Amino acid sequence: MTAGTGSVMPTAETVDLPTLFRATTAMGIEPALTTAGGLRGDKEGMGKMSWNRRDILKAAGKAGAGALAVSALGGMERTAAAAPVGNVPSNPRISEWAHAKSSSHEAGWADQFQGMCTDGAYWYIVSNAEDNQRLHKLSLDFRTTYASLSAPSGSGHIGAPTYDPQRRQIYVPVEGDEPELIWKVTTGLSTAGMVPISGRTPGSHAPQRWKFPWMAFNPRDGLVYSSVFGNPEHTDIDKEVDRIWGYDRDTGILKKEIPLPSRVYAIQGGTFGNGGRNLYLASDYEEAANDRKHVYAYDFSSATDGVPVRTWGKVAVPDADDEVECVVFAHLSWHGARDTHISIGLLDDTVWSGATDNVYFRHLAVPSPILI
């Protein structure tokens, strides 16, 4: 762990990112970040983050005033005058998203990579490696593993996680014998609880039964959402994804069933953007029309139990020869490239026996970050 967890503002002009983030957020400030030399998601690392002392004081003066608030890598961006409010739809213009940067990693945490999330200071990465299923806590440059936690005993499959900024906890979906479980973990990587998911009444079967591949926390309604995987070769509940379900994070009881406007398949991960107004689903399914895999966008600005949501469209995953595992809402600044706000994780597990798997990221720039 790095220093700087107290409420004293760093006095150096250049500090490590996790130090800066925790010191400023302890004072109620969510820092807007720029890089000295740039943030690099490859093996070179990111170096140091440059923070001007005047900017810190300006941010402190604006804290809580509804001005621009940007969390380091992964928080919601909003401007009081420009961001949609209430239930106003927020078109992310997904057809205009553009591939700006790629990065790759080969490390122990990459073995059977299933997805990741961020609290703005660290990455939390799920590895479903045989006999070594773990949740890893990594630095934002992926170079340092601060801690790792073994999955609960008896876990069949652990999937793409999500971060709850209200509770400051990570939620990991755990498949096994029914009922499926929400594994709740603190940011210090200790288990905070295991919550079985169910139907509308405690102890009843959850509608997705034994399939629990991903979770996404929605800050608008405080629910965690998920779906089945969606394999068109199956004939049971898992044959397609035509709806998603929202569960109470504390009781696991089903609270919402949201029909989708059309069927999708092979959903491996999901994330909410723009304060929960939009949901994005990452698919590993190659559509017959173009042989491409996609991220799909849905309008959740006024999502109501039992009422279909509309779609904003989709974007093809660039160079998706490997398995698409997750989509993450995270603001990244790069040296020599545009800022990106969406990252898609892919797993290459076809390496030779005894080697670690490879993970690739496709980082996408968006035309209007406040509308994501």
Side-chain angles (χ1 to χ4, degrees), residues 96-359:
E96 300 175 48
W97 292 7
H99 181 205
K101 190 77 172 179
S102 290
S103 60
S104 63
H105 307 272
E106 181 180 354
W109 57 263
D111 281 347
Q112 287 301 300
F113 169 84
Q114 297 297 303
M116 67 183 186
C117 60
T118 180
D119 62 356
Y122 302 95
W123 294 114
Y124 300 91
I125 294 176
V126 165
S127 168
N128 197 50
E130 186 176 2
D131 299 324
N132 194 28
Q133 298 167 299
R134 305 186 75 85
L135 177 65
H136 302 277
K137 180 178 182 176
L138 271 71
S139 58
L140 295 177
D141 61 1
F142 296 97
R143 299 177 67 186
T144 303
T145 300
Y146 289 100
S148 64
L149 180 64
S150 294
S153 176
S155 299
H157 179 279
I158 54 176
T162 188
Y163 177 68
D164 177 353
Q166 298 171 359
R167 301 282 178 83
R168 296 188 179 182
Q169 291 184 336
I170 302 98
Y171 304 144
V172 183
V174 179
E175 293 180 354
D177 295 331
E178 287 189 77
E180 309 313 289
L181 302 171
I182 301 172
W183 178 24
K184 304 173 83 168
V185 182
T186 68
T187 55
L189 288 204
S190 63
T191 295
M194 301 292 296
V195 179
I197 62 171
S198 70
R200 303 276 182 175
T201 58
S204 61
H205 288 295
Q208 58 198 90
R209 302 298 298 267
W210 56 91
K211 288 296 181 179
F212 200 23
W214 62 274
M215 281 195 302
F217 174 74
N218 188 341
R220 285 176 68 83
D221 58 18
L223 302 180
V224 287
Y225 285 84
S226 186
S227 73
V228 296
F229 170 70
N231 186 333
E233 297 180 358
H234 290 177
T235 58
D236 53 26
I237 185 66
D238 190 43
K239 67 179 179 179
E240 62 195 16
V241 178
D242 63 355
R243 64 198 60 233
I244 66 168
W245 296 282
Y247 299 92
D248 186 287
R249 56 188 159 178
D250 296 320
T251 66
I253 294 175
L254 177 67
K255 295 297 184 181
K256 287 183 180 180
E257 179 177 275
I258 308 295
L260 300 180
S262 60
R263 292 185 286 267
V264 291
Y265 303 94
I267 302 302
Q268 301 261 56
T271 190
F272 282 94
N274 197 17
R277 287 185 180 85
N278 294 322
L279 171 69
Y280 305 96
L281 298 180
S283 169
D284 190 51
Y285 181 75
E286 292 184 358
E287 292 188 1
N290 56 15
D291 294 324
R292 302 290 296 275
K293 303 173 183 180
H294 296 83
V295 169
Y296 303 92
Y298 301 95
D299 177 12
F300 261 67
S301 60
S302 56
T304 304
D305 187 22
V307 179
V309 292
R310 65 173 170 175
T311 179
W312 291 120
K314 61 189 178 184
V315 63
V317 179
D319 302 320
D321 295 329
D322 299 299
E323 186 175 347
V324 175
E325 296 289 353
C326 68
V327 57
V328 183
F329 176 41
H331 181 187
L332 306 176
S333 292
W334 304 89
H335 178 59
R338 298 167 61 187
D339 279 18
T340 60
H341 288 78
I342 293 290
S343 295
I344 304 167
L346 300 95
L347 170 68
D348 176 10
D349 60 357
T350 61
V351 295
W352 52 273
S353 178
T356 57
D357 296 335
N358 295 322
V359 171

